[in-house]
Amino acid sequence: MPELFLIGAAERIAELEADENPADVFPCMSAHGIHAEARAQLYTLVMHSFLDDAMQLEPLVRELTEDGPNIHQLEPSVVERLSVKDENDIEELVGHWAECEPVEELELDADDLNEFLFQLVHFCQTAYQGEDLGVYVYVAS
């Protein structure tokens, strides 16, 4: 299973069983093969931070088994910053993000990156407006 972004409450994330399909329980979106290092490059741009700091913005919150899957939470500060982005911001971010080496190696075109970021911004807006909701990353083993 590819990496998925989910919107959920911390209590429900804590109840998720290893054999449950998160797509049956939570609103989900695919990470489109955009791995953690490439996402950290995005967070660097959004948060105006160093890469080392951005690598910590998806901390592990739950190991469903020793061998995975694992659940990481997108830091609320990132969710907040992404939730206020509009289409022009997204296009500008993608322009800079596409030039980062880990993103270039993915060989995704600007349309794919725009689609991913547009969906992620929408997820962040939904979570930010909801009560006790967060954005999580489900990483299969």
Side-chain angles (χ1 to χ4, degrees), residues 17-47:
E17 299 291 332
D19 60 350
E20 274 185 287
N21 181 347
D24 293 340
V25 181
F26 302 100
C28 294
M29 68 171 262
S30 170
H32 298 286
I34 300 171
H35 53 72
E37 186 179 353
R39 293 191 304 266
Q41 295 286 342
L42 171 64
Y43 306 151
T44 297
L45 295 168
V46 171
M47 301 301 289

Side-chain angles (χ1 to χ4, degrees), residues 48-60:
H48 306 286
S49 65
F50 293 107
L51 183 58
D52 288 344
D53 296 332
M55 293 293 290
Q56 306 304 312
L57 294 174
E58 284 183 6
L60 177 67

Side-chain angles (χ1 to χ4, degrees), residues 69-127:
N70 297 318
I71 301 176
H72 300 257
Q73 181 176 18
L74 184 56
E75 280 291 328
S77 58
V78 179
V79 172
E80 181 180 3
R81 289 259 181 106
L82 284 171
S83 72
V84 298
K85 300 296 182 193
D86 63 23
E87 286 186 36
N88 292 331
D89 296 328
I90 291 170
E91 287 181 22
E92 183 179 340
L93 276 170
V94 166
H96 295 293
W97 187 33
E99 295 174 1
C100 299
E101 185 177 335
V103 178
E104 286 180 341
E105 291 172 358
L106 293 173
E107 297 181 6
L108 296 172
D109 63 25
D111 289 341
D112 294 331
L113 294 173
N114 269 313
E115 180 183 337
F116 168 79
L117 189 51
F118 180 80
Q119 289 178 338
L120 182 59
V121 164
H122 178 71
F123 255 53
C124 290
Q125 290 168 342
T126 301

